[in-house]
Amino acid sequence: MDGTGTLRFEALFRAHAGAVRTYVCRRCVADAADDVVADVFVVAWRRLDDVPDDPVPWLLGVARRVLANRRRGEARHQALLGRMSSEPHEAMPVLGARPDVGVPVLRVLSGLSERDREALLLVAWEGLSAAQASKVLGVSSNTFAARLSRARRRFAVALAAESGPPAQQPRSAEGAVLR
Amino acid sequence: MSDDVIDLIRGVDPFPDELPAPPIEPVLHRLEAGDQRPWCAQLVDAGGRAALRAPRRRWGWVRRPSRPVAILLAALVITGSAAAAVLSLTGSASQPLAGRVPGAITPASLAGYHYRIAVTPVLFAGTAGWQPWIVYNSAGTNGYGERGTPLPTSPIFAVGGPTRVARGETVAYVLTGPQVWAVRIGSRTIRTISSPALPTGDRAAVFFIPAQGHGLFIPGLPGPPPGAPHPPPMKNAPALSLLDRFGRPIAIKLTVPPPPGPSLAGPPTVTWMSPDAVTPWWPLPFGTVPYHHPGYHGRTRPGPGVCELGQRGLPALHAQWGHTVPWISPVHDGLGEVFLSCIDAAYYLHGWPFDVAVLVDGHRPGRVLGPIPGARPVSGQPGVVTLATGRFPTSLFTRNFGVTAKRVGNAWLVVQGGSGLAQRVQVLNALRISKLDLHHLRHAPH
């Protein structure tokens, strides 16, 4: 990479690493966040020519894939270790809990499908437009708009149920694996 | 309504303001070094990447998750060595369990890092064994490490350590039973050592190997499926063999443990889970969701068992799930010191997770236990010892695996995890062994 590329990469990092870091911290434990950010910018360096003029959706899309890869790898790692050590409860996710924010909204978010949740979070937390968010997810703007609409509706229904009597509370099927 | 939804979600944003950019140096170091993640993480990540890309046919049997034996085999091949690399081993004596990686300090190498190899007891009820760790530390760098496999019936009960870096040397270790006096790699022989950081009687061979190489092959494992090509690292790598005190080879019989669950040989494990058990972060790191699967209709309180735990004070400490066993099955074929867990439980204190267990002597439950390997007394806490492992930030499931314990009769009450030593001591002092019945022994069939 020539000097121009280096300068461009450094500028890209300084301008957007914070946004990528925030995105990652919202989706994985903080200790691993900087490692993921580094992975994202390693990809950015190697594909610098592919980075568009509006780089944030592109970078977040890479971060999303890096996180997905790590989660898959980690799940396999834990599954392997579980087989090797016969110690299945060690595979449970741990640390980073903040029970003070375990409010119904987060509970409902956690219970949504990953597709619905990501659509909502890209708009609400990352502050992206529908066009930008669609680039993160690699779908068309129309597809994202439909996805977001469905996610909003499901969130509202689930939140209403969450506020209802306990017997009617939806139970999350995700993260419920014990053994 | 729609805007309300977005506003509601925006209101629980854990990071309402953009975080500052992290330092760029780790990125530059990684670019220079290639990849510095632990070897096992790279292996499993390679499997993850294979799901996105078209897998290369040659490695397909390794990458397919449906072949656990193949993955296990791959995981037990120590990357980072080669026939040529073995020739450059600098001596025949094992390196110590804690030391410094030699060589010129560059960003792309582990040179200058301090390493420490430790083991902690396996806490899962009804099981016995040791969990190895390797932790590297350097100024400004947290430790990271790899978990291994406790196989008390094998001469080798743990192996691992190498980290793929661009230059220099990395650390490898083989932990063995008492009968192994040397490890041979190709034409070189490395004498094993004993250490207070190991279970009493067990031994270790620690050595430096060049980071770039073909690998180190451990025979005695299930091979690839019939007709499948041998992967290059195994084909070219020198094999590791074990020698007894007379220099005679010892057969390596690494066995794949049975999958988790009730075992015909061991006691049945009874699982319980509190109705308010939560997983603290999945799928969001700061959220909590019920752990209970909709189909869970199991116990919500600990079942009767040979060991039971009690709590006094510290109301914020909650037991969330755990396992009990109705009898104890001593370990017949264990090598060296073996601890056997008779109960385990997961507790939470202010959001921090802990694993708690009661350990008895694995060979003869009720006999006086040996020390926790490598553990040191805690000042101001008589009878309490601790072993720090550091945290493991390369994992999304990062946590602290430090262990703090105290003797209660002929058992260890062990607390693992939490935010650190102070919290573990706090939990330890709030718990007690309310039952320890060692009359229910059943010997597993040989």
Side-chain angles (χ1 to χ4, degrees):
Chain A
M1 189 67 65
D2 57 19
T4 307
T6 304
L7 290 176
R8 187 183 169 208
F9 176 76
E10 289 190 8
L12 184 75
F13 185 90
R14 298 193 193 291
H16 302 297
V20 176
R21 189 187 198 191
T22 311
Y23 173 90
V24 172
C25 281
R26 285 165 172 153
R27 286 159 180 80
C28 80
V29 290
D31 279 351
D34 287 355
D35 211 29
V36 175
V37 173
D39 278 352
V40 171
F41 280 92
V42 167
V43 173
W45 169 263
R46 290 174 181 156
R47 296 182 56 191
L48 199 54
D49 293 340
D50 297 334
V51 179
D53 293 338
D54 180 11
V56 171
W58 189 91
L59 289 168
L60 298 190
V62 174
R64 183 168 169 270
R65 292 179 183 87
V66 169
L67 278 170
N69 268 358
R70 282 175 162 248
R71 287 200 175 110
R72 273 194 294 271
E74 192 70 30
R76 286 177 188 159
H77 188 189
Q78 295 295 342
L80 167 67
L81 294 170
R83 283 195 298 275
M84 293 166 74
S85 65
S86 297
E87 198 180 4
H89 70 315
E90 287 285 27
M92 289 179 174
V94 287
L95 207 64
R98 284 174 49 187
D100 55 311
V101 293
V103 294
V105 173
L106 282 174
R107 192 186 296 270
V108 170
L109 275 175
S110 297
L112 293 178
S113 69
E114 194 275 341
R115 172 180 288 195
D116 286 351
R117 185 172 53 248
E118 190 65 4
L120 290 169
L121 297 189
L122 285 172
V123 174
W125 287 1
E126 264 57 55
L128 300 183
S129 67
Q132 288 176 311
S134 67
K135 289 176 183 169
V136 175
L137 300 177
V139 299
S140 71
S141 296
N142 288 339
T143 300
F144 179 80
R147 189 178 292 182
L148 182 63
S149 175
R150 284 194 297 269
R152 280 173 160 153
R153 189 170 62 246
R154 287 177 183 138
F155 177 89
V157 170
L159 188 62
E162 176 77 17
S163 306
Q168 297 176 4
Q169 286 185 1
R171 306 300 293 270
S172 168
E174 296 186 72
V177 178
L178 178 67
R179 297 190 68 177
Chain B
M1 180 63 188
S2 295
D3 289 337
D4 289 347
V5 165
I6 297 300
D7 288 343
L8 269 176
I9 297 170
R10 193 174 288 138
V12 296
D13 186 349
F15 301 99
D17 300 318
E18 184 175 301
L19 297 172
I24 195 172
E25 285 73 18
V27 181
L28 301 179
H29 290 170
R30 185 168 298 186
L31 287 169
E32 184 182 357
D35 196 340
Q36 296 192 34
R37 283 169 297 156
W39 61 284
C40 194
Q42 292 177 60
L43 278 175
V44 293
D45 277 4
R49 282 193 295 272
L52 295 180
R53 301 172 183 169
R56 285 179 293 174
R57 189 176 298 275
R58 195 176 186 190
W59 282 86
W61 69 273
V62 172
R63 297 187 175 197
R64 272 196 298 272
S66 60
R67 298 209 181 265
V69 171
I71 297 297
L72 174 65
L73 181 60
L76 287 172
V77 173
I78 304 176
T79 57
S81 177
V86 169
L87 295 176
S88 70
L89 289 170
T90 54
S92 60
S94 169
Q95 297 294 327
L97 286 167
R100 182 177 168 275
V101 181
I105 298 176
T106 70
S109 80
L110 286 173
Y113 277 60
H114 290 276
Y115 71 88
R116 185 166 63 90
I117 297 162
V119 296
T120 56
V122 170
L123 302 188
F124 191 74
T127 62
W130 300 100
Q131 176 68 60
W133 309 91
I134 183 165
V135 181
Y136 292 97
N137 281 292
S138 182
T141 304
N142 291 320
Y144 58 82
E146 280 301 329
R147 299 176 58 197
T149 172
L151 292 173
T153 57
S154 166
I156 297 176
F157 70 90
V159 59
T163 300
R164 184 173 290 280
V165 291
R167 299 181 193 137
E169 295 187 304
T170 181
V171 183
Y173 63 85
V174 179
L175 308 185
T176 74
Q179 78 274 47
V180 178
W181 282 65
V183 170
R184 179 171 288 168
I185 303 167
S187 61
R188 297 298 303 265
T189 301
I190 301 159
R191 293 191 301 275
T192 58
I193 56 172
S194 60
S195 166
L198 293 174
T200 305
D202 289 337
R203 305 179 70 82
V206 182
F207 42 97
F208 301 121
I209 56 177
Q212 296 292 310
H214 289 156
L216 177 65
F217 181 62
I218 305 170
L221 293 170
H230 231 57
M234 294 183 208
K235 186 172 65 177
N236 297 328
L240 179 147
S241 59
L242 308 178
L243 304 175
D244 67 11
R245 63 188 308 169
F246 304 109
R248 298 174 301 201
I250 301 172
I252 300 176
K253 290 182 289 187
L254 286 178
T255 55
V256 180
S263 162
L264 292 177
T269 304
V270 180
T271 301
W272 65 273
M273 183 163 44
S274 163
D276 62 352
V278 295
T279 174
W281 73 269
W282 183 259
L284 299 171
F286 38 80
T288 59
V289 295
Y291 235 130
H292 276 208
H293 190 278
Y296 180 79
H297 300 295
R299 285 183 172 276
T300 56
R301 296 177 56 79
V306 291
C307 300
E308 295 177 6
L309 290 166
Q311 181 177 341
R312 54 193 169 197
L314 203 57
L317 182 67
H318 291 287
Q320 300 232 321
W321 62 81
H323 308 87
T324 57
V325 288
W327 71 80
I328 290 176
S329 184
V331 179
H332 293 293
D333 52 356
L335 302 169
E337 179 95 40
V338 177
F339 295 162
L340 179 62
S341 170
C342 60
I343 186 173
D344 74 83
Y347 284 80
Y348 278 81
L349 176 64
H350 305 309
W352 291 92
F354 297 85
D355 287 323
V356 178
V358 175
L359 305 177
V360 298
D361 185 86
H363 300 291
R364 290 176 55 192
R367 188 172 64 178
V368 176
L369 283 165
I372 302 276
R376 296 179 176 176
V378 178
S379 67
Q381 298 290 330
V384 177
V385 298
T386 193
L387 173 66
T389 61
R391 288 174 64 183
F392 293 81
T394 54
S395 165
L396 289 177
F397 297 90
T398 183
R399 63 173 295 183
N400 188 326
F401 289 97
V403 162
T404 302
K406 68 178 177 185
R407 284 185 189 272
V408 180
N410 290 338
W412 281 110
L413 176 59
V414 178
V415 174
Q416 184 173 36
S419 63
L421 171 61
Q423 212 180 35
R424 285 198 298 273
V425 169
Q426 192 181 14
V427 171
L428 196 60
N429 288 334
L431 296 177
R432 61 189 174 89
I433 301 175
S434 57
K435 179 183 176 185
L436 180 58
D437 181 359
L438 298 178
H439 295 97
H440 292 82
L441 301 182
R442 291 193 191 180
H443 295 273
H446 290 284

